[in-house]
Amino acid sequence: MRIKAILFLLLILAQASAANLTGKITDEAGQPLPFVVVYIDGTTNGTTANVDGIYSLELKPGNYIIDYQLIGYSQHKETVEMGNSNITRNVTLKDDGIKMSEVVVNGNAEDPAYGIIRKAIDKRKFYEEQVDAYSCDVYIKGLQRITKHPDKIFGQEIHFNELDSISHIIYLSESVTKFNFEQPNKIREEMVSSKVSGNNQAFSYNQASDMLMDFYKNNIQIDVLGERGFVSPIATNALFFYKYHLAGSFIENGKVIDKIQVIPKRQFDPVFRGYIYIQEDSWRIHSADMYLIKDAQINFVDTLYVSQSYLPVTPDIWLIFSNKYKFVFNLLGIQGNGVYVAINKNYTLEPNFPKNFFNGELLKIDDNANKKDSSYWNQARPVPLTKEESKDYVRRDSIHAKHETKEYLDSIDARRNKFKPSNVYLGYRYFNRYNKQSFFLGPIIQTIGFNTVQGLYGGLRLGYNKLYEDEKRLSIITTDGYGFSNKREYGDAQLTYSFNPEKLAVFKLGVELKPEQFNGNDPISPFLNTLYTLFEEQNYMKLYQKAGANASYTRELVNGLLFTGGADYANRASLANTTNYKLEQIGERQYTSNTPVGDTMGFPSNSFTVWGELKISFKQEFYTLPHQKIVADNKYPVLTLDYYRALNMGDNYANYDMAKATLSGIFNLKLLGKTEYSVSAGKFLTEKNMGFMDYYHFNGDQIIFSSFGLNSFHLLDYYRYSTNGPFVVANVEHHFQGFILNKIPLLRKLKLDEIIGVNFLTTNTLPEYFEVFAGITKFNVVRVDFAASYDKSGRVGEGICIGLGF
């Protein structure tokens, strides 16, 4: 018994609680040094100081050598003997460790930095591929604040709620993630804990992969800042983009570290500025302190600062230990800044990942990630909170509790639900936030218009939205209206129920009694058709009467395999023009009949169509949130297979079947931009009894305004090429994303995206048709293209197309 007691006591002592080494890090003038890297010598177990220079490092009892490291200061070491009690150790860093003599280059001699950089470039690929796989724990803290804002933007008042008016912090969050990597570019991370100030139901936006700015890659992709990416200072082609200067050298742990200034050769190239530190002999990256500015063609922020430190996981393998992103922005007069800090630790090299571990899931957020209490965060948080951050958590969390009560939510709704005269044309929404539901009245511009079949028409568009538990959603939208010339009511209703977001499962049910375009793609909007009919006397929209019901079901079978099936019953009838009203007669121009082309008004009066679609997204990547799956932008091709069958249920029923395959995708050419493509081929297997609305129609455009969808044409007649036979259609467009205009003074400041493309179409009855076009766009919001169209006889048309992305 005595031996067992002794063993039990030893076990208790061995598992004694760790203590914290804390303190403040300052420079020689006594000023706090933010984000100093603090770690156990020879390991990647460590932390960084916060913006006030305060640090805290959890240590088990024992003797340690603690390293303190900050770019621009000499490395400092402290010997610490830890027991079971906390220890305070304040540290002063000296800046003479990197106060190096200036390197002077005489005459035409080459700066010594070039020799160092060439050796680093030669070793770049080796270090990029050195580690086949690894896992690590990543802690991220992100903070964003507004420092100044106007009272109004575009005439609308700007209000920041009481949370932000006190501290100016608009976002504060922390997360702990298990990050996994395997060559060449497989990643998977699991967010095990998440904390968002002021919302204990939310999850952090922090992703470890977003903090993985790898300068060993030739091109560093940061999609939100610039889709072309940015050239690494040690890229294979870096000497084409950068000049270099050896600012000096210093010795750390017996190794010479060279401080290299990186300078853009051209002011407006997508490149970094600042310093990169290279360890001699190994020619690996030791650390980096660089930044991007607006001239580097970044979006949304004015300047992004990047600070990195590498530490040895083994004597020969160094990996990122700390990452810091700092940015400032000024958008529409709203000024602010932010800082994100990431600490990578507990590296495991060559982990034994199970088979199919990298299954496309980029990020999984655990169900209980936002349920951790303060004691957990006090232990898990390697970077101490500042006083401002601590106060923000306390203040926001207490206010959030109040803001979740029924009384408070009802009071907010009472103020915001007041009906204003402007709601007549802007739309109106009635909220019930406590029950997570809303009702809305659509803008009048969406329900009033003019066409030659109905004349002036108008109605109401009403809707209802409800959010249930587990992210299930219900939406009901109805439209009811009246045509004043043909004196007919019209309307429709659509119910959409997302009942299993984890499987992308959606059920839809609809009914309708209204005029429908022969081209089911709705190539011209009612609003634009109204403008062209009244002001240009060109009634492009061609309509037939449709009364019926439809239903569809969507569900993901396995990752990347999405099935949708449905059925549609319709009773169809022809319609004729009922009005010749014009605002002003334009020459001899007259309205055309409501017949799309030739004799197309005779058709089966009924149809019952069943259809299915199988969408295959190769190597689909996705995010898993509690009770929800979100599909990421696809880097690989998508193959879509469609089949339609109009069932023969009588003499007056349509009878045909059609199959179609579409391959679409994006080629990312990095600095040269990206290429988007869509190629479709289809055939009617039978066409025993068809109406013109059953034909396959293409997305034509006969007006100056365009939607600029990838599978749309610029100058194609809405109906001339419609077919009930085989067809092939291809659409390709390349976005240079500033590669050309970035080199032209004045234009480069506009940050325009240059576009070129080709559209192609062929059917069994008409000759090949194709278009070539070129244009410019601004953030895909405003776009202007010039296009020319051709067939076998030569050029058949040309014109300008204008579009708004919203």
Side-chain angles (χ1 to χ4, degrees):
M1 290 293 294
R2 182 176 297 177
I3 294 176
K4 288 184 178 179
I6 293 173
L7 291 175
F8 180 74
L9 179 60
L10 291 175
L11 180 63
I12 294 295
L13 292 175
Q15 295 180 347
S17 299
N20 289 323
L21 172 67
T22 62
K24 185 173 185 178
I25 308 170
T26 59
D27 62 15
E28 293 177 287
Q31 296 300 311
L33 291 175
F35 307 113
V36 176
V37 174
V38 183
Y39 63 97
I40 301 172
D41 188 63
T43 75
T44 59
N45 183 11
T47 183
T48 68
N50 64 19
V51 295
D52 296 326
I54 305 297
Y55 74 96
S56 177
L57 180 61
E58 186 179 66
L59 297 171
K60 294 180 180 180
N63 296 320
Y64 298 92
I65 297 176
I66 306 300
D67 291 351
Y68 298 79
Q69 181 176 302
L70 181 65
I71 296 174
Y73 292 82
S74 61
Q75 186 182 45
H76 180 85
K77 295 180 183 287
E78 285 278 330
T79 300
V80 177
E81 182 179 353
M82 290 297 298
N84 294 321
S85 301
N86 294 338
I87 292 179
T88 299
R89 186 69 58 89
N90 297 325
V91 172
T92 299
L93 296 188
K94 299 179 180 180
D95 62 3
D96 59 352
I98 309 182
K99 188 179 288 183
M100 302 158 284
S101 58
E102 181 70 17
V103 177
V104 179
V105 180
N106 296 317
N108 295 323
E110 183 179 65
D111 194 299
Y114 284 87
I116 298 168
I117 287 294
R118 289 191 185 97
K119 291 176 180 178
I121 291 173
D122 290 341
K123 294 286 285 186
R124 180 199 64 80
K125 191 169 183 61
F126 169 79
Y127 287 122
E128 181 185 6
E129 301 174 350
Q130 184 182 22
V131 179
D132 292 331
Y134 68 84
S135 296
C136 67
D137 297 325
V138 182
Y139 165 83
I140 301 175
K141 179 169 68 175
L143 182 146
Q144 298 178 37
R145 56 162 54 87
I146 297 294
T147 57
K148 185 178 180 181
H149 66 85
D151 295 330
K152 293 183 178 181
I153 295 180
F154 301 135
Q156 299 295 316
E157 292 186 0
I158 302 299
H159 296 286
F160 285 94
N161 60 36
E162 60 183 292
L163 304 178
D164 306 321
S165 62
I166 298 173
S167 66
H168 302 291
I169 294 177
I170 59 172
Y171 178 74
L172 170 63
S173 75
E174 299 173 276
S175 65
V176 175
T177 298
K178 185 70 174 180
F179 183 77
N180 306 284
F181 170 83
E182 185 176 83
Q183 294 284 3
N185 54 9
K186 298 177 183 178
I187 63 171
R188 184 177 182 180
E189 52 187 293
E190 179 184 5
M191 185 178 291
V192 297
S193 55
S194 170
K195 182 177 178 65
V196 179
S197 181
N199 191 345
N200 57 18
Q201 300 299 314
F203 296 97
S204 170
Y205 295 123
N206 306 338
Q207 271 188 257
S209 55
D210 289 341
M211 302 295 292
L212 192 66
M213 188 177 291
D214 187 357
F215 288 106
Y216 286 122
K217 293 187 178 298
N218 282 322
N219 185 277
I220 300 166
Q221 294 290 129
I222 315 173
D223 289 341
V224 70
L225 295 182
E227 293 183 272
R228 291 172 60 201
F230 304 91
V231 181
S232 167
I234 60 170
T236 303
N237 60 345
L239 292 173
F240 178 76
F241 292 92
Y242 289 100
K243 296 184 292 184
Y244 302 92
H245 171 64
L246 178 59
S249 303
F250 64 96
I251 296 177
E252 181 181 281
N253 295 326
K255 299 288 186 179
V256 177
I257 311 298
D258 295 316
K259 179 182 181 181
I260 309 293
Q261 184 180 8
V262 296
I263 308 161
K265 281 190 172 181
R266 291 166 294 276
Q267 182 179 356
F268 296 96
D269 278 347
V271 294
F272 293 87
R273 292 158 168 81
Y275 297 90
I276 187 169
Y277 296 77
I278 304 295
Q279 186 185 78
E280 287 196 10
D281 297 329
S282 65
W283 311 113
R284 62 165 52 95
I285 298 175
H286 168 274
S287 53
D289 193 12
M290 292 185 285
Y291 60 98
L292 295 167
I293 64 174
K294 275 191 173 295
D295 287 348
Q297 301 300 298
I298 60 174
N299 301 322
F300 305 117
V301 300
D302 293 336
T303 309
L304 173 69
Y305 300 91
V306 181
S307 181
Q308 289 185 343
S309 292
Y310 286 70
L311 290 180
V313 180
T314 71
D316 297 323
I317 296 176
W318 288 47
L319 295 174
I320 292 177
F321 169 72
S322 70
N323 252 325
K324 182 184 75 173
Y325 294 170
K326 184 179 178 181
F327 57 88
V328 294
F329 61 87
N330 185 348
L331 183 65
L332 299 176
I334 300 176
Q335 299 177 25
N337 57 62
V339 60
Y340 281 74
V341 179
I343 304 296
N344 297 12
K345 62 181 183 179
N346 299 330
Y347 276 98
T348 300
L349 301 181
E350 306 302 328
N352 186 22
F353 294 126
K355 186 178 180 180
N356 298 322
F357 178 77
F358 294 96
N359 60 355
E361 185 180 53
L362 299 176
L363 170 67
K364 178 183 178 181
I365 300 179
D366 289 352
D367 290 351
N368 296 319
N370 59 356
K371 304 294 191 299
K372 310 296 185 182
D373 59 18
S374 58
S375 62
Y376 166 87
W377 283 107
N378 290 337
Q379 183 178 10
R381 178 185 295 125
V383 181
L385 295 177
T386 64
K387 291 182 179 179
E388 180 188 36
E389 292 165 349
S390 297
K391 289 181 180 178
D392 189 78
Y393 271 134
V394 173
R395 180 170 53 246
R396 284 175 180 263
D397 289 346
S398 62
I399 294 176
H400 177 73
K402 169 189 171 184
H403 286 185
E404 289 296 296
T405 63
K406 186 177 186 302
E407 292 75 15
Y408 179 81
L409 293 175
D410 287 348
S411 67
I412 293 295
D413 290 339
R415 293 199 302 268
R416 296 183 178 179
N417 288 340
K418 291 180 180 179
F419 192 87
K420 303 175 183 177
S422 60
N423 293 132
V424 174
Y425 54 87
L426 294 178
Y428 172 73
R429 188 173 292 270
Y430 178 91
F431 290 96
N432 185 332
R433 286 176 171 79
Y434 185 76
N435 291 319
K436 298 180 180 180
Q437 61 185 9
S438 65
F439 302 85
F440 70 84
L441 170 67
I444 195 170
I445 194 173
Q446 294 181 348
T447 57
I448 290 181
F450 181 88
N451 61 58
T452 55
V453 172
Q454 297 173 286
L456 177 67
Y457 63 87
L460 292 176
R461 184 171 181 263
L462 303 173
Y464 169 78
N465 293 301
K466 170 71 175 177
L467 175 63
Y468 297 93
E469 298 297 326
D470 301 340
E471 298 300 323
K472 297 175 182 177
R473 297 174 185 270
L474 174 68
S475 171
I476 301 174
I477 300 175
T478 66
T479 303
D480 184 65
Y482 183 77
F484 291 94
S485 180
N486 67 347
K487 299 180 181 179
R488 286 189 182 183
E489 289 188 31
Y490 65 91
D492 62 19
Q494 180 79 42
L495 178 148
T496 302
Y497 181 43
S498 174
F499 61 92
N500 188 348
E502 292 176 290
K503 293 294 184 180
L504 309 180
V506 179
F507 174 74
K508 294 183 179 181
L509 180 65
V511 294
E512 59 183 320
L513 172 62
K514 64 179 183 179
E516 190 86 15
Q517 293 193 55
F518 280 89
N519 185 340
N521 297 315
D522 293 339
I524 184 169
S525 71
F527 175 71
L528 291 176
N529 182 72
T530 297
L531 296 181
Y532 269 80
T533 301
L534 291 176
F535 293 96
E536 295 292 328
E537 295 182 30
Q538 292 176 313
N539 54 322
Y540 289 115
M541 183 179 286
K542 306 303 177 184
L543 304 166
Y544 70 97
Q545 183 76 358
K546 182 178 180 181
N550 59 81
S552 68
Y553 170 81
T554 298
R555 184 183 178 89
E556 187 175 56
L557 306 179
V558 296
N559 182 51
L561 192 62
L562 186 69
F563 170 77
T564 302
D568 183 306
Y569 168 76
N571 177 265
R572 295 101 62 99
S574 60
L575 295 172
N577 292 340
T578 63
T579 180
N580 197 38
Y581 175 79
K582 304 168 185 177
L583 288 178
E584 183 179 355
Q585 179 65 47
I586 301 177
E588 300 296 324
R589 185 178 294 174
Q590 297 294 328
Y591 288 139
T592 59
S593 73
N594 191 46
T595 304
V597 290
D599 184 14
T600 56
M601 297 307 288
F603 46 78
S605 58
N606 296 285
S607 72
F608 185 79
T609 307
V610 294
W611 57 274
E613 178 180 275
L614 195 63
K615 183 178 179 182
I616 306 168
S617 300
F618 297 101
K619 296 185 178 181
Q620 176 176 279
E621 297 177 330
F622 61 97
Y623 306 94
T624 302
L625 281 64
H627 315 298
Q628 188 178 13
K629 178 178 182 176
I630 299 175
V631 176
D633 292 339
N634 210 314
K635 302 175 183 177
Y636 300 94
V638 176
L639 177 63
T640 306
L641 305 175
D642 293 284
Y643 177 75
Y644 296 82
R645 178 72 172 108
L647 300 176
N648 182 15
M649 302 181 68
D651 293 339
N652 290 324
Y653 276 81
N655 182 9
Y656 66 90
D657 62 341
M658 190 269 285
K660 182 184 72 162
T662 302
L663 185 69
S664 60
I666 298 175
F667 290 120
N668 187 344
L669 303 179
K670 298 182 179 177
L671 291 181
L672 296 178
K674 65 179 181 180
T675 299
E676 302 179 32
Y677 64 91
S678 176
V679 180
S680 299
K683 183 179 181 180
F684 283 84
L685 306 177
T686 61
E687 63 274 358
K688 296 179 180 178
N689 195 11
M690 299 181 66
F692 190 67
M693 68 284 290
D694 302 318
Y695 280 39
Y696 189 83
H697 303 281
F698 304 96
N699 290 322
D701 193 2
Q702 294 178 249
I703 62 177
I704 192 172
F705 299 104
S706 175
S707 62
F708 290 118
L710 178 61
N711 62 345
S712 63
F713 289 78
H714 288 57
L715 305 172
L716 182 69
D717 186 279
Y718 292 129
Y719 294 106
R720 183 184 173 209
Y721 275 82
S722 300
T723 182
N724 63 348
F727 59 89
V728 175
V729 58
N731 309 91
V732 181
E733 63 180 44
H734 180 76
H735 293 247
F736 286 98
Q737 298 174 331
F739 179 76
I740 299 173
L741 296 181
N742 183 41
K743 298 172 176 59
I744 302 176
L746 299 180
L747 289 180
R748 65 168 63 101
K749 291 187 176 295
L750 298 177
K751 295 186 178 179
L752 299 174
D753 176 10
E754 319 89 324
I755 304 167
I756 60 172
V758 177
N759 297 321
F760 172 82
L761 169 63
T762 183
T763 70
N764 62 327
T765 57
L766 290 171
E768 290 83 358
Y769 171 92
F770 70 94
E771 300 172 346
V772 294
F773 60 90
I776 54 175
T777 182
K778 176 76 170 179
F779 297 143
N780 290 322
V781 175
V782 180
R783 177 168 165 176
V784 179
D785 282 10
F786 175 80
S789 58
Y790 301 83
D791 62 18
K792 285 186 176 180
S793 65
R795 180 180 290 195
V796 294
E798 59 186 34
I800 294 176
C801 295
I802 302 172
L804 298 175
F806 54 86

